[in-house]
Amino acid sequence: MNILVTGGAGFIGGNFVQYMVDKYPQYDIYNLDLLTYAGDLTKHREIEQKVNYHFVKADIADREVINSLFEKEKFDYVVHFAAESHVDRSITNPGIFVQTNILGTQVLLEASKKIGVSKFVHVSTDEVYGELDFDPTTFFTEDTPIQPNSPYSASKASSDLLVRAYHETYGLPVNITRCSNNYGPYHFPEKLIPLTISRVLNKQKVPVYGDGKNIRDWLHVLDHCTAIDLVLHEGANGDVYNIGGHNERTNLEVVKTIISTLGKSEELIEFVADRLGHDKRYAIDPTKLEQLGWKPTYTFETGIAQTIQWYLDNKAWWEQIICGDYENYFEEQYSV
Ligand code: NAD
Ligand code: DAU
């Protein structure tokens, strides 16, 4: 069984590749990644020698390269994570989001159709549904209309629609997953949780957008991996599955939890200008996936404690990132 994982040098794809290589020694796992600013192979030192792990450096939007790779390896399954993933970057530079997230997905779908893959799992996001208000009884279900608000979420929604069209028009066997905010090991330090941990540890101010009352629904990355594994093997052909663990927190609550766990002062918090078009609240109803047999193993409390400890134990990993090219981006974004 040959499985192609795109974006396997990134945060979630990287955790998924490690999970799959260990869990399924009988599968050949191909990690295809362009190694953009968000891709990093040092995370795979412990699996790179394993016989069932393979790495291919390629751009998912490069039709010729992708077609010849699919012809050669005859993948059985595709699990598609590769994307530009950061909302703030999509606000300042939307073009690359269209190129990678929309065109790149279409290139993969076409190659998958040509060789007849048995399953194409498209890893999407709850952000395609837009935003909820602060009424705690409302949730995103699989039937919630798609109403993306940022260039990032619009590009992901567009790719979801292409996946759906390849299923309806050509009969490609697909699933679409829509997960809430992930956190955990190897989360790139431009995103709220790893940014807060790294800045607190470096005694730097933590930028909180607006009033900090926006709500996200947090899920540990390993719970996302088990959900995708289940959908890959047991998802009903053509279906969408929402993924979330009922862990809603305001951004301010998240930042304060991290600061107090690290024993530092809340004076590090700095309220800064709000994100343009900042979605108020995301909250997932995961009932459909639970009915398939999935349940998360981490609460937010156990997951955030494990994650903070991981960042304490792996300072070299995130320091090499914030000291690289990323530093310029970071300084441009926040002159705090
Ligand atoms: P990430 O930014 O950490 O990783 C993205 C990976 O894709 C990187 O390794 C990068 O090098 C690679 N990549 C980018 N452009 C590429 C291209 N043209 N060709 C090949 N590889 C390319 O992202 P992430 O946070 O791990 O998110 C992975 C997927 O999960 C994305 O599709 C995202 O939309 C989705 N998702 C993320 C979250 C979250 O909270 N992070 C939640 C739900 C869904
Ligand atoms: O919901 C799933 C999505 O979660 C994924 O599809 C995206 O790929 C992923 O990046 C994430 O998007 P968010 O925009 O929710 O994540 P981010 O970590 O960028 O921001 C989380 C919240 O924190 C959001 O309300 C904005 C706020 N924020 C973020 C940063 C980086 C701050 O207040 N300060 C910050 O410095």
Side-chain angles (χ1 to χ4, degrees), residues 61 64 79 85 132 137 144 154 176 193 217 223 253 273 296 304 319:
E64 212 174 304
V79 186
S85 69
L132 295 165
T137 63
T144 302
I176 296 173
I193 286 183
D217 185 357
D223 286 326
E253 283 169 339
I304 197 71
E319 269 189 343

Side-chain angles (χ1 to χ4, degrees), residues 188-206:
F188 197 86
E190 66 187 347
K191 310 281 171 57
L192 180 67
I193 286 183
L195 177 140
T196 301
I197 298 172
S198 57
R199 288 189 74 95
V200 170
L201 288 175
N202 282 341
K203 302 186 183 67
Q204 291 170 306
K205 293 277 189 189
V206 178

Side-chain angles (χ1 to χ4, degrees), residues 159-222:
S159 62
D160 287 20
L161 295 180
L162 282 166
V163 174
R164 180 188 144 81
Y166 268 73
H167 176 69
E168 295 295 328
T169 306
Y170 307 112
L172 187 72
V174 304
N175 287 120
I176 296 173
T177 61
R178 296 187 180 136
C179 191
S180 60
N181 284 63
N182 283 214
Y183 66 98
Y186 298 115
H187 202 181
F188 197 86
E190 66 187 347
K191 310 281 171 57
L192 180 67
I193 286 183
L195 177 140
T196 301
I197 298 172
S198 57
R199 288 189 74 95
V200 170
L201 288 175
N202 282 341
K203 302 186 183 67
Q204 291 170 306
K205 293 277 189 189
V206 178
V208 172
Y209 299 166
D211 59 11
K213 290 188 180 147
N214 300 59
I215 291 175
R216 296 294 181 263
D217 185 357
W218 294 97
L219 186 74
H220 193 280
V221 64
L222 293 179

Side-chain angles (χ1 to χ4, degrees), residues 7 9-13 32-36 38-39 58-60 81-85 100 123-125 152 156 179-182 191 224:
F11 164 46
I12 309 174
L32 182 148
D33 199 294
L34 184 59
L35 301 181
T36 68
D59 183 346
I60 56 167
F81 294 90
E84 288 293 332
S85 69
T100 294
V123 180
S124 190
T125 168
Y152 161 70
K156 292 296 291 187
C179 191
S180 60
N181 284 63
N182 283 214
K191 310 281 171 57
H224 191 182

Side-chain angles (χ1 to χ4, degrees), residues 37-322:
Y37 80 94
D40 146 72
L41 287 178
T42 65
K43 57 170 69 84
H44 292 323
R45 281 204 184 112
E46 287 186 14
I47 59 162
E48 66 192 5
Q49 300 305 332
K50 298 212 173 173
V51 290
N52 66 333
Y53 172 74
H54 315 273
F55 176 68
V56 182
K57 183 173 179 200
D59 183 346
I60 56 167
D62 187 333
R63 204 172 289 276
E64 212 174 304
V65 168
I66 295 296
N67 281 339
S68 58
L69 180 72
F70 273 62
E71 284 300 333
K72 182 168 164 248
E73 303 298 347
K74 301 283 183 226
F75 299 116
D76 300 287
Y77 294 158
V78 176
V79 186
H80 175 35
F81 294 90
E84 288 293 332
S85 69
H86 191 34
V87 174
D88 292 330
R89 287 179 190 259
S90 83
I91 294 168
T92 50
N93 185 18
I96 187 68
F97 286 72
V98 173
Q99 168 79 9
T100 294
N101 299 1
I102 307 176
L103 182 64
T105 300
Q106 192 271 331
V107 167
L108 291 169
L109 287 166
E110 190 61 26
S112 300
K113 170 169 82 78
K114 272 196 192 131
I115 66 159
V117 302
S118 304
K119 176 69 75 78
F120 186 105
V121 177
H122 178 59
V123 180
S124 190
T125 168
D126 60 357
E127 295 199 18
V128 300
Y129 297 122
E131 65 175 356
L132 295 165
D133 64 22
F134 293 113
D135 171 359
T137 63
T138 56
F139 297 95
F140 294 137
T141 72
E142 289 80 2
D143 296 324
T144 302
I146 290 185
Q147 273 183 326
N149 291 320
S150 70
Y152 161 70
S153 53
S155 70
K156 292 296 291 187
S158 306
S159 62
D160 287 20
L161 295 180
L162 282 166
V163 174
R164 180 188 144 81
Y166 268 73
H167 176 69
E168 295 295 328
T169 306
Y170 307 112
L172 187 72
V174 304
N175 287 120
I176 296 173
T177 61
R178 296 187 180 136
C179 191
S180 60
N181 284 63
N182 283 214
Y183 66 98
Y186 298 115
H187 202 181
F188 197 86
E190 66 187 347
K191 310 281 171 57
L192 180 67
I193 286 183
L195 177 140
T196 301
I197 298 172
S198 57
R199 288 189 74 95
V200 170
L201 288 175
N202 282 341
K203 302 186 183 67
Q204 291 170 306
K205 293 277 189 189
V206 178
V208 172
Y209 299 166
D211 59 11
K213 290 188 180 147
N214 300 59
I215 291 175
R216 296 294 181 263
D217 185 357
W218 294 97
L219 186 74
H220 193 280
V221 64
L222 293 179
D223 286 326
H224 191 182
C225 292
T226 61
I228 293 171
D229 181 11
L230 182 65
V231 171
L232 175 67
H233 290 97
E234 311 217 0
N237 188 8
D239 274 17
V240 175
Y241 292 90
N242 283 353
I243 309 173
H246 291 294
N247 286 306
E248 288 181 57
R249 298 285 184 287
T250 67
N251 294 336
L252 204 50
E253 283 169 339
V254 168
V255 167
K256 284 183 176 177
T257 299
I258 294 168
I259 289 175
S260 85
T261 306
L262 289 169
K264 299 291 193 282
S265 161
E266 287 183 10
E267 285 175 12
L268 285 173
I269 294 172
E270 179 144 61
F271 291 94
V272 299
D274 208 354
R275 174 183 278 176
L276 296 179
H278 197 173
D279 285 335
K280 285 199 275 289
R281 172 173 168 257
Y282 306 143
I284 281 281
D285 175 353
T287 307
K288 183 173 173 185
L289 188 67
E290 286 168 354
Q291 284 167 351
L292 203 63
W294 176 82
K295 62 174 191 301
T297 54
Y298 289 90
T299 62
F300 187 71
E301 286 66 32
T302 57
I304 197 71
Q306 182 260 14
T307 301
I308 291 170
Q309 190 58 49
W310 188 90
Y311 277 82
L312 284 166
D313 295 340
N314 291 274
K315 205 165 179 221
W317 179 80
W318 53 267
E319 269 189 343
Q320 62 156 357
I321 289 169
I322 58 178

